[in-house]
Amino acid sequence: MTTIAVIPGDGIGPEVTAPALDVLDALGLGVRTDVLDHVNADTYLRTGHALSEADLDRIRPCRATLLGAVGDPRLGDTAYVRSILTTLRVELDLYVNYRPAKLWHDRLSPLRDAARRAIDCVIVRENTEGLYSGIGGSTRTGTAHEVAMDVDLSTQHGVARVLDYAFSVARTSVCLVDKANAVRNGGQLWQRCWHEALARHPHIATSHLYVDAAAMRIATDPTAFDVIVTNNSYGDILSDLTAALAGGLGVAASANLNPATGQGLFEPVHGSAPDIAGTGAANPFGAILSVALLAEHLGRADAADAVRRAVAAAVAEGHVTRDLGGTLGTKEAGAAVLAELERP
Ligand code: NAD
Ligand code: IPM
Ligand code: MN
């Protein structure tokens, strides 16, 4: 039987994971879950570690992991959040971060121009390199002469494989987003790999934008994009932007994938939202739609479609949390999706 590892995490993480697991259960995919509910900030504060080797040994054999969110205001973010998220992405070599953004309902778009609201694109974010490499250091730390350095790592292998993945999921076009006009060495490598990828995929329309211009274009006309492929940090930033244009962070889902090993980590794009944690206001749709991506990963595109249809119906009916203009709490919004799923 397929085992799914589950890390509810911190803040709203466990709150949105609960309804997401109810949906997973209702899909009847014949999977069992292995819940690692100790992988959180409390454990880190107590022991100095959150994700142990023993935890990784439980996760490695799983085809998929479902993660709520991690992050806690009691902790400096870098070490703690990295020790879970970046560790999982790097240890499992999940080099693709697949972040789809499709407008769920016209009323959810912040755009004035009705003709440009229907965003339906995917950010393919390189997920194991870039500024997240962990290479760097600081010297004379804490003094007026401090020097700090974080290496923006790009490798031929890492760039070529994520570009190929972007082409493999493109419906109409792929747009490369980089900053090759300012970032010399990495820029050159991305550009060389891009031109080599264009030769391997001659039948798909392509374009290239510098990241500043891309942000402007996405904000003014997101309908111009199908697949956007970019590095780790630009992908992080632009995927919050595309999420905002598709209905908000509360509905954004993501998959961290290694298409070669078949492993995946599925999580909403949002974080632990300490500002609303414990209030019952968190939108569970991002986590629920991450379960849809997980089902698709397990070869059940039918189940994934059923979840998306159920979410679309709940949105259309106004059975939504406050961030989407509704009045429901997390549990009620989750129940609304379940009711739609179970409708004959
Ligand atoms: P965040 O995504 O947690 O929150 C940003 C804003 O969006 C907040 O106002 C929040 O209330 C709102 N929001 C987020 N998810 C929501 C939901 N489901 N329903 C309704 N509103 C929602 O980002 P942040 O505040 O920058 O980060 C908080 C913590 O989460 C930090 O520790 C950060 O490092 C961490 N983080 C973790 C992940 C992850 O686990 N994948 C992702 C992003 C941030
Ligand atoms: C995300 C998050 C993480 C990232 C943080 C929490 C390290 O923002 O998954 O988008 O930047 O990758
Ligand atoms: Mn992010």
Side-chain angles (χ1 to χ4, degrees):
M1 188 182 253
T2 305
T3 304
I4 310 294
V6 180
I7 301 176
D10 305 304
I12 66 167
E15 300 171 25
V16 298
T17 302
L21 286 178
D22 290 341
V23 167
L24 179 64
D25 205 35
L27 293 177
L29 301 180
V31 299
R32 64 176 282 273
T33 53
D34 181 13
V35 182
L36 292 90
D37 51 14
H38 59 281
V39 178
N40 59 29
D42 286 338
T43 301
Y44 191 87
L45 280 163
R46 217 178 43 250
T47 67
H49 302 279
L51 185 73
S52 66
E53 266 308 313
D55 297 325
L56 282 170
D57 286 342
R58 277 165 72 178
I59 293 167
R60 276 196 196 95
C62 299
R63 282 276 317 274
T65 300
L66 180 68
L67 182 141
V70 291
D72 188 296
R74 293 171 295 173
L75 286 164
D77 267 341
T78 25
Y80 168 63
V81 169
R82 277 185 62 88
S83 77
I84 300 175
L85 258 190
T86 313
T87 300
L88 283 171
R89 289 170 180 167
V90 171
E91 281 297 314
L92 304 178
D93 196 23
L94 304 173
Y95 65 88
V96 171
N97 197 323
Y98 177 87
R99 298 189 153 182
K102 185 170 177 185
L103 182 63
W104 288 95
H105 195 282
D106 195 59
R107 74 168 190 277
L108 300 180
S109 175
L111 297 186
R112 238 185 358 228
D113 183 349
R116 294 177 169 185
R117 288 187 192 140
I119 183 171
D120 182 9
C121 73
V122 175
I123 304 247
V124 172
R125 163 187 182 190
E126 200 295 318
N127 212 29
T128 53
E129 303 189 341
L131 278 171
Y132 291 65
S133 71
I135 303 169
S138 100
T139 185
R140 302 194 283 272
T141 316
T143 73
H145 303 284
E146 179 166 348
V147 177
M149 190 172 73
D150 298 280
V151 172
D152 184 2
L153 177 83
S154 300
T155 68
Q156 147 80 35
H157 171 67
V159 176
R161 65 183 183 173
V162 79
L163 293 177
D164 277 336
Y165 182 82
F167 280 95
S168 77
V169 294
R171 293 160 299 180
T172 55
S173 65
V174 180
C175 177
L176 169 70
V177 171
D178 67 11
K179 190 68 190 172
N181 52 348
V183 181
R184 190 174 50 180
N185 301 298
Q188 244 167 46
L189 174 54
W190 274 81
Q191 281 293 322
R192 176 168 66 80
C193 291
W194 173 242
H195 288 288
E196 289 166 3
L198 296 188
R200 285 194 298 279
H201 307 277
H203 302 302
I204 292 181
T206 57
S207 58
H208 165 247
L209 286 173
Y210 297 125
V211 64
D212 44 358
M216 182 275 294
R217 191 81 205 279
I218 294 170
T220 51
D221 184 9
T223 64
F225 298 94
D226 176 25
V227 170
I228 295 170
V229 62
T230 190
N231 72 16
N232 211 336
S233 26
Y234 302 152
D236 176 43
I237 297 162
L238 295 180
S239 60
D240 268 31
L241 173 58
T242 51
L245 297 174
L249 262 185
V251 283
S254 80
N256 303 257
L257 303 167
N258 182 317
T261 65
Q263 269 186 316
L265 163 69
F266 300 82
E267 45 161 353
V269 175
H270 65 71
S272 57
D275 54 338
I276 57 165
T279 67
N283 186 342
F285 291 179
I288 288 172
L289 291 164
S290 300
V291 166
L293 290 171
L294 190 158
E296 207 167 316
H297 177 71
L298 298 180
R300 292 295 305 275
D302 58 324
D305 285 343
V307 174
R308 293 189 190 109
R309 275 199 306 274
V311 169
V315 171
E317 297 289 322
H319 296 150
V320 294
T321 44
R322 286 204 293 272
D323 56 313
L324 299 189
T327 56
L328 300 188
T330 309
K331 287 189 182 130
E332 294 74 29
V337 173
L338 268 187
E340 294 293 346
L341 254 185
E342 280 156 10
R343 201 186 285 279

